[in-house]
Amino acid sequence: MDFSDTIEEAAFREQVRAWISANAPEYLYEPLSTSGFGSTRTGDYDPLTEAKKWQKKKADAGWACIQWPKEYGGRGATPIQSVIWNQEEGVYGSLSRTFIIGQGMCAPTMMAYASEEQKQRYLPKLASGEEVWCQLFSEPHGGSDLAGLRTRAEKDGDDWVINGQKIWTSGAHYSDYGILITRTDPEVPKHKGLTMFFLDMRSEGVDIVPIKQANGDSGFNEVYFDNVRIPDAQRLGEVGEGWKVSLTTLMNERLAIGGSIATGFPEIKALVDELRIASGSAIEDPAVRSRLADWYAKSAGLKNTASRAISALSKGETPGPENSIGKLVAGGMMQDIAKFALDLQGLPGAIMDPEIASGSARLQAMLMRSPAVRIEGGTDQILRNIISERVLGLPEDMRADKGLPFNKIPTGN
Amino acid sequence: MNFDFSDDEKMVQEQVHRYLNDNCNFSVFRSVLEGNEPYAEKVWQGLAEMGVQGTAVPAEFGGVEAGYLTLCLAAKEMGAHLAPVPFSTSVYLFAEALTRYGSQEQKEKWLPMIASGQLKGTIAVSETVEEARPDNITATFGDGRLNGTKLVVPQGMVADVAVVIARKGDALTLVLAELDGVGRTSIEMVDPTMATATLSFDNTVAEELGGCAGDTKDGWSALADIYNRAAVLFAFEQIGGAEKALDMAVAYAKERFAFGRPIGSFQALKHMMADMYVALKLAESNCYYAAWALQNDADDLAVAAAAARVSATQAFQLCARDNIQVHGGMGFTWEFDCHLYYRRSNYLTLVLGGLATWEDKLIAALPADAA
Ligand SMILES: Cc1cc2nc3c(=O)[nH]c(=O)nc-3n(C[C@H](O)[C@H](O)[C@H](O)COP(=O)(O)OP(=O)(O)OC[C@H]3O[C@@H](n4cnc5c(N)ncnc54)[C@H](O)[C@@H]3O)c2cc1C
């Protein structure tokens, strides 16, 4: 065991460090470092503009999406180099949150299924942040059960005509393009009648309605399709193969390795170090110490699990299944930590105003954002299903819809 | 970064695994459990022939000197097989105490006999039914003689020699005593395979460990240091046991049918086992890091050891407990093996001080800027 870089890795790290220290937007360091969980604070500057500026600067110098091939706007870097980049980019990496869905999920799907010409046209601009993409998968009737989606695509000449509704589409309101999964055949079992497309979000008939979230922000939207026409050339994969295509997208929906995993531990530690409670200093209280130790052990466990993945990448191997635990552990932990932190402070713990609350109200923001972590990108329950079925090899759930044509599946209404 | 065990280290693990698989199955464990023999002597000898006891002992003291990373993997196998031998007390506790605090002469005398399996060692600490603290240690040492009673000594029935914490005037110190002629009474424990005894020292000949002699090192902090190192090795035993308990649960859930379907298709059980897996993987990753810290005597060994200990304790407790649940009524029979893991998991939780103690140690050892 050895935690040091290889000679090549160290040289690469040096190069990354030098470029970042010469080019990073240092004026954003302060606000970015104190960002509440799930938000990107940029002080007096506009977050989207700053995100795009930093992304473009990286792209111009060959430091955007470094693992992608050069001809599509990347650098042809190895996975381990990409990890090193993430580690070194540090807080500035949170500026790229705007592009995560496009670069992390839409792009791999485009790489696997778009034509060469389309890849040349779209991928470099996705890498440089000049064009933002979103993922139009979930629907009112298809979330965990994504294959239950109802948005219709019907062939009309060389076009497909889309009618229906998507929901929870993050960033649709500032996106230029999106990948869209639709139902093309309702008479076959649900996984077999799906087809994937990409489309211009400014197409006629697309209507985007922001949704106000439980925490008051507005990151996701409803997207309505009213006779929206998409050329057949923008189909990704074969007709009826949309489920297979979607798996490419979803496989990439995991924490970027090397970026730090937010767990809430540093925030709770900082709070209890300072806080006084009835029994005296909070950090001296046995009950507090017990909870803190549990959370430290969990957050160290995630960090050390990530190190295992990084070593696998460094050796050119695929990281093991233990990497599937990250979001499941971190989501619940953040929610527990936030609740505990507020509880220690009594009523003042409920103050949301960052100017007044202790720790700039980051724990309060965490309280209000963490429920979403346990839902987005696969709920806690779906993740447990995946671990038990795919990792432990336990039998599949009994399903009421198995083998039924889509239009014969019970809907509850 | 190479955060993995080397092929050589894994090869030793594989050898220990194969040996225990062939020679230390549940019937061996049960023979000790039923009181037919105090420990599995044949297994102990077999391990000794392979040099396992001397894995981390330096070559100059008769060991294999294969390092702590290798010993950690061997420990994982010992835990997975619930091996009923005085391995942990001899190797993680007695040998570590000597390696850290023995004089050159003491090391030369004792370590080769531990490494060869000729001798079995242990450590004697607790005297009352409360967790040991500096203020409830009353055994005394003076003029080369040890007096007092140690209530619960793991492997006390079979050990030949022990490191004992005792009072020397106002201070605490660590002494070494041969157990020939010392009064031993077997004491019933949650895990009866640990040959636990009450030891009565009555003017027993003893000598201070060199590193604690005079006022060089307070015995309690020396003990804490030995425990930190042992904690890493015990944590590997714990994840070995946890993994086995999870495997048992998964295997049973695939075979057993109820309501016309395998019980492993019930989501309540699937999610329970997913949680067991998560706890195990967190612990495993912390154990890897702690193994590195132990091998390299890292500055953050205390934190790493405590984190490994806390999460491995949680993982083994959860897996052993819910393995019984997955087995239903069968899980609560003497005949099924579930209770063996349940017993061992609860015993291992306490052997170096309970979970709350380690949680407290973890927070005490955290640097101010820990993240
Ligand atoms: C902040 C946020 C951002 C999002 N961004 C996007 C986006 O950009 N694009 C996009 O397409 N989607 C997005 N989503 C949607 C997200 O993927 C879905 O919300 C999620 O998959 C859950 O689906 P659902 O909301 O329909 O809940 P449901 O599927 O209705 O789940 C309701 C409850 O039932 C449980 N449940 C469902 N099925 C099972 C089962 N088989 N076993 C056990 N329990 C089950 C769930 O765990 C949950 O507790 C986002 C969601 C959030 C919260």
Side-chain angles (χ1 to χ4, degrees):
Chain A
M1 278 188 194
D2 174 11
F3 281 93
S4 46
D5 286 333
T6 64
I7 294 167
E8 300 85 59
E9 287 164 4
F12 183 77
R13 193 182 293 280
E14 249 344 282
Q15 200 188 348
V16 169
R17 238 177 232 176
W19 190 83
I20 288 179
S21 75
N23 292 282
E26 276 167 25
Y27 57 97
L28 296 176
Y29 185 84
E30 250 330 288
L32 285 175
S33 325
T34 60
S35 288
F37 172 72
S39 71
T40 306
R41 271 188 204 158
T42 46
D44 299 334
Y45 303 87
D46 175 54
L48 185 58
T49 314
E50 293 304 319
K52 288 193 167 193
K53 252 167 70 181
W54 175 231
Q55 196 63 30
K56 183 73 170 62
K57 195 166 189 181
K58 289 192 283 183
D60 288 345
W63 290 112
C65 302
I66 64 170
Q67 231 183 298
W68 297 8
K70 278 200 181 119
E71 64 267 37
Y72 304 141
R75 190 185 190 86
T78 62
I80 192 71
Q81 289 178 330
S82 171
V83 167
I84 291 172
W85 169 269
N86 289 339
Q87 290 170 339
E88 295 299 325
E89 191 182 15
V91 292
Y92 302 112
S94 67
L95 281 170
S96 319
R97 183 172 289 150
T98 318
F99 311 112
I100 283 181
I101 291 178
Q103 295 173 347
M105 300 174 69
C106 302
T109 316
M110 290 292 283
M111 278 190 215
Y113 293 99
S115 71
E116 188 51 41
E117 200 185 325
Q118 288 167 335
K119 288 193 250 189
Q120 306 263 2
R121 155 64 188 86
Y122 294 104
L123 290 172
K125 284 203 154 51
L126 215 177
S128 67
E130 287 165 272
E131 290 173 352
V132 180
W133 286 56
C134 62
Q135 178 204 356
L136 299 144
F137 280 20
S138 302
E139 294 190 9
H141 292 277
S144 301
D145 183 14
L146 177 61
L149 62 91
R150 297 179 180 181
T151 293
R152 287 298 313 269
E154 282 156 316
K155 193 79 191 286
D156 182 32
D158 279 344
D159 286 347
W160 291 82
V161 179
I162 316 293
N163 281 290
Q165 184 203 342
K166 295 288 168 177
I167 195 169
W168 322 126
T169 317
S170 301
H173 52 303
Y174 52 71
S175 288
D176 302 285
Y177 296 90
I179 55 173
L180 171 73
I181 185 162
T182 63
R183 182 161 309 278
T184 40
D185 186 353
E187 289 174 12
V188 292
K190 64 180 184 179
H191 292 98
K192 302 214 163 107
L194 304 174
T195 305
M196 187 79 79
F197 300 94
F198 72 91
L199 89 162
D200 186 336
M201 290 299 284
R202 296 186 187 81
S203 306
E204 204 175 314
V206 174
D207 189 16
I208 301 168
V209 183
I211 302 173
K212 189 164 179 180
Q213 295 166 193
N215 66 348
D217 291 349
S218 229
F220 53 32
N221 305 270
E222 293 178 295
V223 182
Y224 293 90
F225 298 86
D226 180 16
N227 287 318
V228 176
R229 297 189 81 86
I230 301 181
D232 187 52
Q234 290 178 205
R235 174 164 46 78
L236 297 170
E238 298 302 315
V239 175
E241 298 264 290
W243 184 251
K244 191 177 124 202
V245 181
S246 78
L247 294 181
T248 310
T249 319
L250 299 174
M251 253 170 29
N252 287 284
E253 186 166 26
R254 52 167 187 211
L255 292 171
I257 295 168
S260 63
I261 310 162
T263 58
F265 183 80
E267 287 86 352
I268 185 73
K269 174 73 166 43
L271 177 77
V272 299
D273 273 341
E274 299 294 320
L275 193 71
R276 295 192 62 79
I277 57 177
S279 61
S281 174
I283 185 73
E284 300 300 332
D285 186 88
V288 171
R289 288 169 90 81
S290 167
R291 300 298 299 269
L292 210 57
D294 175 38
W295 288 321
Y296 178 82
K298 287 197 167 74
S299 96
L302 291 183
K303 191 169 145 229
N304 293 325
T305 303
S307 295
R308 291 166 72 179
I310 294 168
S311 348
L313 292 176
S314 176
K315 286 191 248 173
E317 296 164 4
T318 314
E322 63 275 3
N323 275 291
S324 57
I325 69 175
K327 192 176 85 83
L328 182 57
V329 173
M333 186 170 149
M334 276 190 279
Q335 204 169 12
D336 289 346
I337 282 180
K339 188 181 88 64
F340 186 75
L342 269 58
D343 197 50
L344 284 176
Q345 300 170 71
L347 184 58
I351 300 172
M352 286 288 311
D353 185 337
E355 302 291 325
I356 303 171
S358 52
S360 314
R362 294 172 83 191
L363 285 153
Q364 285 75 7
M366 190 180 294
L367 178 83
M368 293 311 297
R369 180 59 173 78
S370 53
V373 182
R374 303 181 54 200
I375 297 167
E376 62 195 341
T379 67
D380 281 5
Q381 289 69 37
I382 294 298
L383 295 179
R384 288 189 175 95
N385 285 352
I386 292 175
I387 290 172
S388 54
E389 290 172 19
R390 296 201 210 140
V391 182
L392 300 178
L394 288 164
E396 230 184 60
D397 244 331
M398 298 299 232
R399 281 183 17 213
D401 57 4
K402 193 134 198 174
L404 291 182
F406 175 72
N407 55 14
K408 299 280 191 306
I409 293 173
T411 61
N413 50 48
Chain B
M1 171 184 304
N2 182 10
F3 187 42
D4 195 2
F5 293 90
S6 70
D7 288 344
D8 284 352
E9 288 151 4
K10 289 181 191 167
M11 206 173 73
V12 174
Q13 176 184 21
E14 180 55 32
Q15 283 164 358
V16 176
H17 172 80
R18 238 179 298 135
Y19 175 77
L20 292 174
N21 240 17
D22 295 346
N23 298 283
C24 187
N25 56 22
F26 284 124
S27 69
V28 173
F29 183 91
R30 279 180 182 272
S31 166
V32 176
L33 179 70
E34 313 275 2
N36 300 335
E37 49 177 350
Y39 73 104
E41 196 180 343
K42 264 176 67 187
V43 174
W44 179 256
Q45 292 306 339
L47 290 167
E49 277 159 32
M50 296 165 68
V52 185
Q53 285 89 331
T55 303
V57 174
E60 66 164 314
F61 303 122
V64 183
E65 200 171 324
Y68 285 97
L69 293 173
T70 309
L71 181 58
C72 284
L73 293 182
K76 187 174 173 206
E77 292 307 319
M78 302 301 292
H81 290 86
L82 300 173
V85 288
F87 190 81
S88 57
T89 57
S90 301
V91 178
Y92 320 158
L93 289 166
F94 182 79
E96 277 309 303
L98 276 168
T99 308
R100 298 290 285 176
Y101 295 103
S103 64
Q104 181 69 15
E105 214 183 315
Q106 287 167 331
K107 290 184 205 179
E108 279 169 8
K109 176 164 181 200
W110 298 104
L111 287 176
M113 291 194 275
I114 292 291
S116 67
Q118 211 178 320
L119 272 195
K120 300 170 287 292
T122 189
I123 203 162
V125 179
S126 295
E127 298 179 13
T128 75
V129 292
E130 294 178 4
E131 185 164 330
R133 299 181 305 267
D135 67 5
N136 64 9
I137 304 292
T138 58
T140 55
F141 171 74
D143 299 329
R145 300 283 166 165
L146 179 63
N147 281 288
T149 300
K150 293 288 175 183
L151 181 67
V152 265
V153 181
Q155 304 294 349
M157 289 308 287
V158 303
D160 305 293
V161 56
V163 165
V164 183
I165 188 161
R167 207 153 274 294
K168 184 181 71 176
D170 288 342
L172 288 173
T173 188
L174 296 182
V175 304
L176 191 151
E178 288 184 65
L179 300 181
D180 248 7
V182 167
R184 314 186 196 221
T185 322
S186 174
I187 182 165
E188 190 181 338
M189 299 291 285
V190 162
D191 184 342
T193 65
M194 302 305 287
T196 310
T198 296
L199 298 186
S200 309
F201 299 96
D202 181 10
N203 263 338
T204 308
V205 176
E207 55 180 291
E208 257 184 313
L209 289 189
C212 296
D215 296 331
T216 40
K217 177 94 184 174
D218 151 59
W220 189 256
S221 61
L223 182 68
D225 172 54
I226 295 161
Y227 273 10
N228 277 344
R229 302 172 66 81
V232 179
L233 297 157
F234 275 108
F236 271 89
E237 284 209 2
Q238 289 171 303
I239 59 169
E243 189 173 276
K244 262 291 178 49
L246 173 58
D247 288 350
M248 265 175 86
V250 168
Y252 189 75
K254 287 178 186 169
E255 279 165 19
R256 166 86 178 161
F257 272 61
F259 297 92
R261 52 197 269 204
I263 58 168
S265 68
F266 293 115
Q267 214 171 46
L269 293 194
K270 285 165 79 168
H271 287 193
M272 193 187 251
M273 288 181 266
D275 287 341
M276 289 155 77
Y277 176 82
V278 169
L280 171 62
K281 292 296 142 173
L282 288 171
E284 196 177 86
S285 296
N286 283 338
C287 280
Y288 277 35
Y289 185 76
W292 174 85
L294 177 62
Q295 170 69 32
N296 294 284
D297 233 328
D299 289 344
D300 60 351
L301 174 62
V303 178
R309 175 84 179 143
V310 166
S311 52
T313 295
Q314 291 173 337
F316 195 12
Q317 290 239 333
L318 182 74
C319 291
R321 184 194 82 172
D322 286 347
N323 180 36
I324 296 182
Q325 189 65 19
V326 168
H327 279 77
M330 280 299 179
F332 192 59
T333 60
W334 185 261
E335 187 190 340
F336 261 59
D337 294 326
C338 303
H339 70 109
L340 310 185
Y341 287 96
Y342 189 62
R343 290 172 181 281
R344 182 59 63 85
S345 72
N346 282 291
Y347 179 87
L348 288 185
T349 297
L350 305 172
V351 71
L352 302 174
L355 182 58
T357 298
W358 283 94
E359 289 171 339
D360 189 67
K361 283 190 194 212
L362 173 51
I363 299 307
L366 271 189
D369 59 349

